[in-house]
Amino acid sequence: MKDILLEFKVNGQPKKVYVDPNDRLLDVLRDYLDIKSPKEGCGTGDCGLCTVTLDGKPVLSCLTFAFQARGKEVTTVEGLGNGKELSPMQQALRDAGAAQCGFCTPAMEIMVTDLLKRVDNPTDSQIKEQISGTLCRCTGYYPIVEAVKKIKEEER
Amino acid sequence: MTEVLMPNTLAEALSMISKDGHDVLILGSGSDVIPRIREREIEPKKVLDLSGLGSELNYIRTEGKVIRIGALVTVRQIIDNELFKGRLDAFLQAGRMFGGPQIRNMATVGGNLGAASSSEDLIPIFIALDARVKMASIDGDRLVPVSKLVVAKRQIDRRPNEIIREIYFEMPDESSWTAFFKAGRRNSLIIDLINMAMYLKLNIDGTKIEDIRIALNRVRGKTPERAYKTEEYLRGKRIENETIARAQEVLDSEVQLSSDFRASAEYRKSLDKVILARLINNCRDRIVEGRRTGN
Ligand SMILES: Cc1cc2nc3c(=O)[nH]c(=O)nc-3n(C[C@H](O)[C@H](O)[C@H](O)COP(=O)(O)OP(=O)(O)OC[C@H]3O[C@@H](n4cnc5c(N)ncnc54)[C@H](O)[C@@H]3O)c2cc1C
């Protein structure tokens, strides 16, 4: 019963989709709009892999109903950078070997982007805190922390 | 869920639930409710989504000594607000351990009060601050002391036609401090074992406890409450090791918990005692420090 017209922006583009009341934001992004970077890890809010930003703030798209995004702006990794080349942040993660299987990488990138937007030279503990709600089962946290510190050094 | 109500104003929202409000589930951010809907623990037919009411229900305001927090304010907004840096430290201590950063961006104050599962972290802090909840309905506002809000696990004193609009309390004065601690990691399905919030006020010369309020997520049952007997014992006392040891005994006899699969009653009680001492000392130290540095 897709009877709610959802109008919102995804990565800068206006979208109109009919959604079911029970559809989550995650379902709409992945299944209706073919945006596959947000992942469903646990579906209960613990793993953080479905993280996207909603009006600029990272939230869990598996714990957000699609209709809650009406009139709002959603950003996923597909909307970071120019879509062709890696951004300096992505390049730094790559150089540090901060992606192993890659499953958590989109969520990590959303969290790192949010941190760098708010904090100029984040400390180790700020970086760790920022990614604390995003699980990496390869346990590759260390290279991520190192990469984030490098990004700022490079920009200076 | 077959129907979603999406009001754009509070007045519209209140008229939507003025009749038949009992079969409407109110949705803050959904961080508590959505996992429960998906687990089929609850199966609401209608949902009233508050996300269109940001301009009316999302504010942190001060009026003289009174601090007013709108129902849609998130944990993140509280942590970031200068007002909470200082005597309202309890909120920062809770905020740091509240879910992960994404949950903090979502979780609303109204939703924390509404969830009432006995593991909410903001409720004991509001109880320690003796806060009042303002319920809105088409008949006007109704005030509920937060200490009376939770009537049973997952049940609050809210009428079917009401929406939590605001919670407010007085800013503690310069002789006071607030603190919070919880034990047990919280994720979506596992709840904290113990949490405790404290408001403590020292007398003029800083030697004795002038006033104290202690709130725990569980005291006699699965509802947050104040530890009145422990408070009563501590009022007027000097903060010395002996007093704290005696207060721990009073708390031990006041708290009546049962064991469950998460922890035994003994373990919970021994945590309570340690946290009690820690919070008393923490509040005292910060008040004394503030006096010395003139803050
Ligand atoms: C991974 C994870 C970690 C978490 N960690 C913590 C934690 O550390 N500490 C903690 O306290 N909680 C935690 N929670 C629980 C939850 O995030 C909080 O209780 C949050 O404050 C709920 O707010 P919400 O807006 O998401 O509520 P919702 O899920 O939208 O609503 C919760 C309840 O409140 C009612 N409600 C909401 N707003 C109103 C209103 N304005 N008027 C009347 N009723 C209303 C709803 O009907 C519902 O019954 C966690 C949840 C998850 C998934």
Side-chain angles (χ1 to χ4, degrees), chain B residues 251-291:
Chain B
L251 185 68
D252 189 75
S253 62
E254 181 167 26
V255 171
Q256 277 154 29
L257 296 171
S258 47
S259 301
D260 63 23
F261 65 91
R262 295 190 190 92
S264 67
E266 290 70 38
Y267 179 62
R268 286 178 201 259
K269 281 186 173 210
S270 60
L271 282 174
D272 274 342
K273 292 196 278 185
V274 174
I275 298 173
L276 177 72
R278 192 187 283 202
L279 295 191
I280 293 174
N281 287 323
N282 175 228
C283 287
R284 191 259 326 265
D285 291 351
R286 301 303 297 268
I287 298 167
V288 171
E289 194 181 300
R291 285 217 169 120

Side-chain angles (χ1 to χ4, degrees), chain B residues 121-189:
Chain B
D121 290 333
L122 301 183
I123 298 178
I125 302 178
F126 286 127
I127 295 178
L129 285 164
D130 209 16
R132 251 134 253 260
V133 180
K134 204 189 261 186
M135 298 279 181
S137 75
I138 50 158
D139 306 325
D141 289 346
R142 181 172 72 97
L143 294 181
V144 182
V146 67
S147 57
K148 301 253 163 63
L149 181 75
V150 185
V151 290
K153 189 171 178 181
R154 293 282 186 204
Q155 206 186 311
I156 63 167
D157 176 11
R158 181 183 75 83
R159 297 175 188 154
N161 67 346
E162 289 178 329
I163 290 176
I164 299 171
R165 172 204 282 259
E166 170 184 290
I167 184 156
Y168 68 90
F169 54 86
E170 261 188 33
M171 179 67 146
D173 68 17
E174 58 283 354
S175 308
S176 16
W177 199 262
T178 61
F180 172 89
F181 193 82
K182 75 171 165 184
R185 229 188 103 74
R186 163 79 212 227
N187 64 28
S188 62
L189 304 170

Side-chain angles (χ1 to χ4, degrees), chain A residues 1 4 21-22 24 40 44 46 48 51 57-60 62-65 67-68 70 72 111 118 129-130 132-134, chain B residues 1-2 4 6-7 27-31 34-35 37-38 47 49 51-52 76 100-106 187-189:
Chain A
M1 227 188 38
I4 302 174
N22 295 291
R24 300 166 300 174
E40 176 152 18
T44 57
D46 297 317
T51 302
K57 294 187 194 70
V59 299
L60 303 174
C62 82
L63 295 188
T64 304
F65 284 124
F67 59 77
Q68 292 178 281
R70 65 188 183 283
K72 301 201 166 154
M111 295 313 287
R118 290 183 293 113
E129 167 53 39
Q130 179 73 4
S132 63
T134 311
Chain B
M1 259 154 58
T2 50
V4 185
M6 295 179 273
L27 191 69
S29 89
S31 67
I34 296 175
I37 293 175
R38 295 186 56 84
V47 167
D49 177 23
S51 44
R76 169 97 239 164
Q102 296 96 319
I103 290 289
R104 278 169 238 157
N105 283 335
M106 303 171 74
N187 64 28
S188 62
L189 304 170

Side-chain angles (χ1 to χ4, degrees), chain B residues 5-74:
Chain B
L5 307 170
M6 295 179 273
N8 291 314
T9 64
L10 180 61
E12 205 185 319
L14 294 175
S15 78
M16 284 170 165
I17 56 165
S18 64
K19 286 177 226 114
D20 304 330
H22 44 264
D23 45 55
V24 179
L25 177 86
I26 296 172
L27 191 69
S29 89
S31 67
D32 172 68
V33 141
I34 296 175
R36 298 171 63 217
I37 293 175
R38 295 186 56 84
E39 295 273 316
R40 296 184 189 266
E41 185 189 322
I42 44 173
E43 299 186 78
K45 282 200 196 65
K46 283 190 210 167
V47 167
L48 178 106
D49 177 23
L50 299 181
S51 44
L53 308 188
S55 60
E56 282 174 280
L57 296 185
N58 190 338
Y59 56 84
I60 299 176
R61 249 184 238 141
T62 50
E63 278 167 27
K65 285 191 215 156
V66 178
I67 297 177
R68 300 182 182 277
I69 305 177
L72 287 180
V73 167
T74 62

